[in-house]
Amino acid sequence: MDFATSTAEALDERVPGELIATSKGTPWRDLFVQMFTRRPVQDSLLIPAVPEPLIVWVVSGAALVEERPLEGEWMGNEVREGDFFLQTSPLPCELRWRTLTHEPFRVMHVYLGLPLIRRAVIDVYGPEAANVQLREISGGTDTVITHQLGILRDELVDRRTPSSMLVQGLASSLAVHLVRSYASEAPASAAPHGGLPAFKMHRVLQAMQERLDQELDLSRLAREVQLSDSHFSRCFKKSTGFSPSQYLTRLRMERARRLLRETEMPIVEVGLEVGYASPSHFAQVFRKEVGVLPSDYRSVR
């Protein structure tokens, strides 16, 4: 897998300051990295399940971060600069947070490609080693990860031309450290979990975000990742827990909540912005998904 083929940009390009940087080009093969400035309050953010391990590293700020399996119970951790999450679950999860300081809440997402993890397993356990499952970590602290990701962040943000040798060396070192330190005692699944690889999932989400005000074009999304419509739909639901149409509704409601909370845009215009020409239809969908009418949601900002 070559993450350099990714065309992912901001998940929502119309929101200023959200995406700081994203990895592109040959130095970043076998890993996909993005850095974000997060909003002070996030009601819900769905993290798709993908085959690759995901590290979420807190670059700056502090927040109360809560996570849960879909429709499960929320569990919270207070996290600060240097803390990290490691997600390896075959199921999607939801996050929400509120910041605890005025410092910008910045995080870096690092997806490590499966070939990279496999090479690390062979290096640590030998060529006959079976698959290794990594443990889930929520709000952990690890000085090795902090050091390695700090250098990786500098290459991502500060270097016009990142060093292929340095980036690949850091990626390999990080993979070995994860296998040594966070291998689970439970037997790993023989088949990779998750439906779509990380770079393909980001490509699809970008395409959906760019056209929230338009009808779902399933064939276009399938072409983005070079799959048939039916195969794409199955893979997408495996990664997210939702059909593409259900997930589009979630994205629309997420943006609607944001606009209602952070702007004075009239509710009718908010509905149009997220693809609902009928105010009553928008109100009906919003109430079903969020639990209250748009006007009530805005009144308790």
Side-chain angles (χ1 to χ4, degrees), residues 15-240:
V15 181
E18 179 78 1
L19 181 73
I20 298 172
T22 188
S23 59
K24 294 180 180 178
T26 302
W28 303 95
R29 68 182 184 275
D30 278 342
L31 75 162
F32 178 63
V33 183
Q34 290 185 310
M35 193 158 80
F36 300 92
T37 298
R38 293 304 194 187
R39 289 177 179 78
V41 177
Q42 179 75 33
D43 293 329
S44 176
L45 180 68
L46 186 118
I47 304 296
V50 295
E52 303 85 7
L54 165 63
I55 302 171
V56 180
W57 182 56
V58 180
V59 178
S60 67
L64 172 63
V65 178
E66 296 178 281
E67 57 185 327
R68 68 174 182 178
L70 293 183
E71 307 306 323
E73 295 294 324
W74 290 103
M75 298 183 63
N77 289 282
E78 289 191 8
V79 296
R80 299 183 181 276
E81 179 179 339
D83 292 346
F84 77 100
F85 294 79
L86 176 60
Q87 185 192 356
T88 61
S89 171
L91 301 173
C93 69
E94 269 187 294
L95 294 182
R96 66 184 183 187
W97 64 81
R98 59 178 176 83
T99 56
L100 301 175
T101 68
H102 294 297
E103 187 179 5
F105 185 44
R106 291 187 177 134
V107 298
M108 192 162 80
H109 289 199
V110 181
Y111 294 91
L112 296 173
L114 295 181
L116 189 64
I117 295 296
R118 182 58 189 165
R119 291 197 297 270
V121 169
I122 292 172
D123 181 71
V124 173
Y125 295 108
E128 304 304 319
N131 291 329
V132 168
Q133 177 70 38
L134 300 177
R135 291 184 281 120
E136 295 270 315
I137 305 294
S138 297
T141 302
D142 187 312
T143 55
V144 174
I145 288 177
T146 293
H147 176 69
Q148 292 175 331
L149 292 188
I151 301 173
L152 201 63
R153 173 199 58 202
D154 293 343
E155 289 296 303
L156 178 70
V157 176
D158 297 335
R159 299 291 181 182
R160 183 183 299 270
T161 306
S163 165
S164 293
M165 184 176 292
L166 181 57
V167 170
Q168 290 298 306
L170 285 167
S172 297
S173 177
L174 184 60
V176 168
H177 179 69
L178 291 180
V179 170
R180 282 178 170 174
S181 303
Y182 300 104
S184 171
E185 295 182 0
S189 171
H193 61 251
L196 290 171
F199 76 95
K200 289 189 175 183
M201 176 56 68
H202 280 271
R203 186 180 296 172
V204 169
L205 296 185
Q206 178 194 8
M208 295 178 81
Q209 287 280 9
E210 288 174 346
R211 295 167 177 81
L212 281 188
D213 60 343
Q214 300 176 25
E215 292 297 317
L216 180 73
D217 187 342
L218 184 64
S219 295
R220 183 184 179 281
L221 295 177
R223 289 196 300 272
E224 286 281 348
V225 291
Q226 300 178 320
L227 296 174
S228 68
D229 292 7
S230 58
H231 190 193
F232 166 71
S233 294
R234 288 194 298 271
C235 288
F236 188 91
K237 187 164 186 177
K238 189 172 183 181
S239 287
T240 66

Side-chain angles (χ1 to χ4, degrees), residues 233-270:
S233 294
R234 288 194 298 271
C235 288
F236 188 91
K237 187 164 186 177
K238 189 172 183 181
S239 287
T240 66
F242 296 93
S243 69
S245 60
Q246 290 171 329
Y247 194 82
L248 178 64
T249 299
R250 285 182 61 95
L251 291 178
R252 285 174 165 177
M253 294 304 103
E254 180 182 340
R255 180 176 290 175
R257 290 198 303 267
R258 190 181 306 160
L259 293 173
L260 291 168
R261 185 174 60 239
E262 299 177 4
T263 77
E264 299 301 326
M265 183 182 293
I267 291 176
V268 171
E269 292 185 17
V270 172

